[in-house]
Each structure stands twice: as structure tokens, then as C-alpha cells.
Amino acid sequence: MTVHQHAVEVRAFARYLRDLAALLDPGRGWYGIFCARDPAGMRACFEGSEVPPWDVVESLLQDLAAVRGAGQAAEESVRAAALFAASAAAYDGRPGGRQALADRLDMMLREQSDAVRRLGDADGEPDALAWARDDHARATARCVELRDRLAAVERTVPVPDPWFRGQDGADVPTVSAPRRGKPSGARFAGLDTGDEAEADPVPSPGPGLPAAAPRGARFRGAPAEVAPAPSAPEPDDPAAHRAAGDVVAQLVRLRAEGRSGEAHVVLCEAAAWPAGRLPVLAAALRGAGLEADRATLLWEMSSLTPAELAAAAGALAAAGLADDCGQLLRLGVARPAAEVADAVVALDRAGLEAEARALLEAFVRVRTPQEAARIAEGGPRHLVPRLLAAAREVSATRERDLVHALRVAGVAAP
């Protein structure tokens, strides 16, 4: 596809967005929130210099349903999806597009981790909790979208036009990569971008991406049955230190060369290491000043199978990395309730009762009582008392709400 053809696809979607926005009130709904929080970013999307995340498009379609009816919104969603797919593929296929996607994914992973932290900090503050939940849902959806788009680019591996290659044969990036630090632009619309968000109305949970199976090493699925967590090797194993040193050296080299996508693959593979090696790697990353890579490693570890998650948490705790263990468990609360229940059981079987309590308390703190009640469905006799104890640690109100949710769900305390 030529550069001109790329531009045609992007311009067509930008024109569609402008037509869609013309039907909406910029002072109401999600469109009003996006315009208030990120007017420059929305303008970039309308001009075709940016492609918004799909969850933003779906939010605009949700606004359309409110003013034109669900039928028209459903028809428009089909057209919007087709134009969006063509525009994103064209935008990502430009020289430098792969690197821009990889950098954007790194940033969004940090946004996702930050949203989990804010979920924990927002206890008792309904406004802050509503924003944090929406931010987490959007960041999670965008990570899935970016991984899919990155995988599509890597499958096609287009050869750039010679005019876009440097003297050493490397692609010359013509797509501006987002800056590290505070995100900006419409691709982050809906996420917390600073203190100005406090004045915005509290949104209802925003729509996410269409259901899609995430790709990558971290999405290997959980086993049907949870086995006891495997015993971890000695953390002072010389082989573990050599392996960690090799990974650090790879990451430093890849980051210096601007190859963020390959660096992320290295971290995905490392997350599946034997549990005993993970604390060594986490400490090595921190020692090398690779804090963002350490955070990404923990995020990848948070989606291991329940038994593997239990083993990893236990290894971090045994190595004295209490902060890393706590962050791993807090990231784990984004998982479905049934998987969290499996992880709690695996932690208990491994003798990690403190970690099991921490995981349950984090889940009860940031998820709804109804979601917490679903944890108990697989083993009420064992899990209900632990859930209630975790809720009691949060607040008396949270305990009462959980008791009510358990009764509604038909789960009786032993």
C-alpha cells in the first residue's frame, strides 16, 4: 500500500468521526467528557493525524444511541468498525508505525498499573472509585487492542519505501512516538490525565472493546484444576543470576536501539520462568534502573495461571521483596473472580496464608460486593469466612455489603 493509500484510509475515518460528532452535543455524554479533558487530542482525530482507541469510538456510538436510538447506533457501529479497522491498519503500516505501537503499549501498561493503584487508594470515595474503574477498563481494553494491532503489523512486515530508509537500512520513524510520562492525546481520552479530571462528571462504566482473545505469552489460560503451587528453586542459584543478567543486558541494548516491541517480548517470556528465578530478575531490573520494565514484568506475571501466580508471589515474599509481592497481588485483582478464587486456594496450599489474605483484601477493596461473592461459589466453606474477614479489614460497611451480596447469590456462610 502506498503512502497516498495510507492517507486515504485515515482521512476517510477522520471524516466519518467528524460526521458522527456533528450529531452529538459536545457538552453532554462521553463526547462532552472527551472534549473537556482532551480537546487537542479530539481535534487531532478529527483531522486524521491520530486514530482514537476503539473504546473512544464505542463511547461516541453510545452517545449516538442516546440521541438517535439504539437502532441507528447499531447500524453505525458496523460501518464504524470497518472504517476504524482500515484506518488503524493504514496508520500502523506507515514507516515507524510498529515502533509507535510498541511505545504506546508500554505507556498503556503503566497506565493500567496506575489505575489498579488508584483503585486501592479510592476506597470510600465513590467519585474517585468510579473514575479509577473506568480508567482501568479502558487501559485494559487498549492494551488488548494495541497487542492485536502490533501482532498484525508484525505478521505483515511491510518493506518500507526506500525513500523512508536511513543510511544503515533501518526504518526512519515518521510517526511520532508518545512521550514518556503523563499521557496526552485522544488515545488517552477517558483516562486520568491530571487534576483537571476532578471537575468532570462521574461516568458510568464505559464500554470496552469487542470481546477478543488477547495474544502474547501472558495469555496462556488457566488449567481446569488448580494444582498446588510448585516449590521454588533457591533464589541464590547462580544460573538464575546469569539468566537475569542476560535479560537485563538484552533490555538495555533493545531500549537503546529503540526496539521496545522486542523488549516487551523478552519480558513476556521471562514472566513464565520458574518462580524462584523471578525475584532475582525483579531485583536485577531494579538495580539496573529499569523500573518500567520491572513493572511490566509484574504485570505479565499477574496473568500467569493461578498456581503459577501463587508460586511467583510466594517466591517474591520469601526473597524479601514485599513491595513487589504486594504489587503483583494488586494487579491480580483484575482477573475474573473464579481465577482469583483458584489463586487463593493455590496460595493456601503452598502455605502462603498472608499472601492469600492480601489478595482477597485487595479484591474486596476494589471490586464490587457482587463480584467478591462470586469468589465463594467454588468453595463456600473455605472461602466465605476468608472473604468476610477481608471485607472486615476494609470497613464494616464493606462487610455488610458482602454479606448481603452472598445472600442474594445464594451462597451461605458455613
Side-chain angles (χ1 to χ4, degrees):
M1 184 179 290
T2 67
V3 174
H4 174 70
Q5 287 173 311
H6 283 312
V8 168
E9 301 287 357
V10 175
R11 283 201 302 267
F13 184 59
R15 184 168 56 251
Y16 172 80
L17 283 178
R18 292 195 298 271
D19 292 342
L20 175 60
L23 302 175
L24 306 176
D25 182 347
R28 297 172 61 88
W30 281 114
Y31 183 38
I33 292 173
F34 296 156
C35 288
R37 299 182 78 178
D38 192 5
M42 290 302 295
R43 184 165 55 251
C45 293
F46 294 148
E47 294 171 351
S49 57
E50 281 281 1
V51 177
W54 176 249
D55 69 272
V56 171
V57 181
E58 280 201 325
S59 293
L60 297 180
L61 291 169
Q62 178 180 325
D63 288 348
L64 180 66
V67 297
R68 293 296 181 97
Q72 181 172 342
E75 293 177 2
E76 287 297 327
S77 68
V78 176
R79 183 183 175 202
L83 289 170
F84 172 85
S87 177
Y91 189 85
D92 298 342
R94 298 187 302 175
R98 177 184 176 280
Q99 184 62 54
L101 283 171
D103 289 344
R104 197 172 291 183
L105 176 58
D106 284 347
M107 183 179 292
M108 194 50 59
L109 286 166
R110 289 194 294 274
E111 286 297 319
Q112 187 178 47
S113 178
D114 180 66
V116 171
R117 177 190 58 76
R118 288 188 289 110
L119 280 168
D121 294 343
D123 182 46
E125 301 179 30
D127 290 4
L129 185 58
W131 275 113
R133 283 177 174 166
D134 182 70
D135 289 352
H136 183 266
R138 289 183 184 275
T140 300
R142 292 171 194 186
C143 286
V144 174
E145 177 188 332
L146 289 167
R147 283 193 177 94
D148 286 348
R149 288 168 61 179
L150 187 57
V153 170
E154 291 173 343
R155 282 197 301 271
T156 56
V157 193
V159 178
D161 186 285
W163 288 101
F164 293 95
R165 296 184 73 84
Q167 293 179 351
D168 60 355
D171 293 352
V172 177
T174 60
V175 179
S176 298
R179 294 175 298 170
R180 303 290 182 181
K182 274 290 183 186
S184 62
R187 59 181 173 271
F188 299 102
L191 293 184
D192 181 26
T193 56
D195 295 339
E196 71 276 7
E198 295 299 325
D200 292 334
V202 179
S204 59
L209 284 168
R215 299 183 176 91
R218 65 188 296 270
F219 296 101
R220 292 174 295 153
E225 297 183 0
V226 179
S231 58
E234 287 293 326
D236 291 331
D237 181 1
H241 287 277
R242 286 195 299 271
D246 289 344
V247 166
V248 169
Q250 286 185 68
L251 291 172
V252 169
R253 175 175 56 82
L254 292 170
R255 295 297 185 195
E257 296 172 358
R259 296 156 65 185
S260 296
E262 293 172 61
H264 189 80
V265 170
V266 170
L267 291 166
C268 287
E269 294 173 348
W273 282 5
R277 293 191 173 189
L278 294 172
V280 179
L281 178 55
L285 291 171
R286 173 172 279 146
L290 300 175
E291 284 295 330
D293 287 324
R294 185 188 62 82
T296 299
L297 175 69
L298 292 172
W299 164 247
E300 295 296 337
M301 290 162 58
S302 73
S303 287
L304 294 169
T305 65
E308 291 168 335
L309 175 65
L316 290 170
L321 301 180
D323 289 345
D324 288 345
C325 179
Q327 184 176 347
L328 174 62
L329 294 174
R330 288 191 295 274
L331 289 169
V333 304
R335 302 169 70 124
E339 292 186 13
V340 172
D342 289 343
V344 170
V345 171
L347 287 165
D348 281 337
R349 289 180 178 177
L352 302 169
E353 294 183 1
E355 286 70 27
R357 285 197 304 273
L359 178 57
L360 281 176
E361 184 176 333
F363 191 97
V364 170
R365 185 179 298 275
V366 303
R367 302 286 287 270
T368 67
Q370 293 73 25
E371 291 169 325
R374 285 199 288 272
I375 288 181
E377 292 176 357
R381 184 173 297 276
H382 175 70
L383 292 171
V384 167
R386 311 207 62 178
L387 275 169
L388 292 174
R392 198 173 304 122
E393 288 295 318
V394 176
S395 69
T397 300
R398 190 60 54 91
E399 182 183 12
R400 287 196 300 271
D401 291 343
L402 178 58
V403 169
H404 177 71
L406 288 167
R407 289 172 179 164
V408 171
V411 180

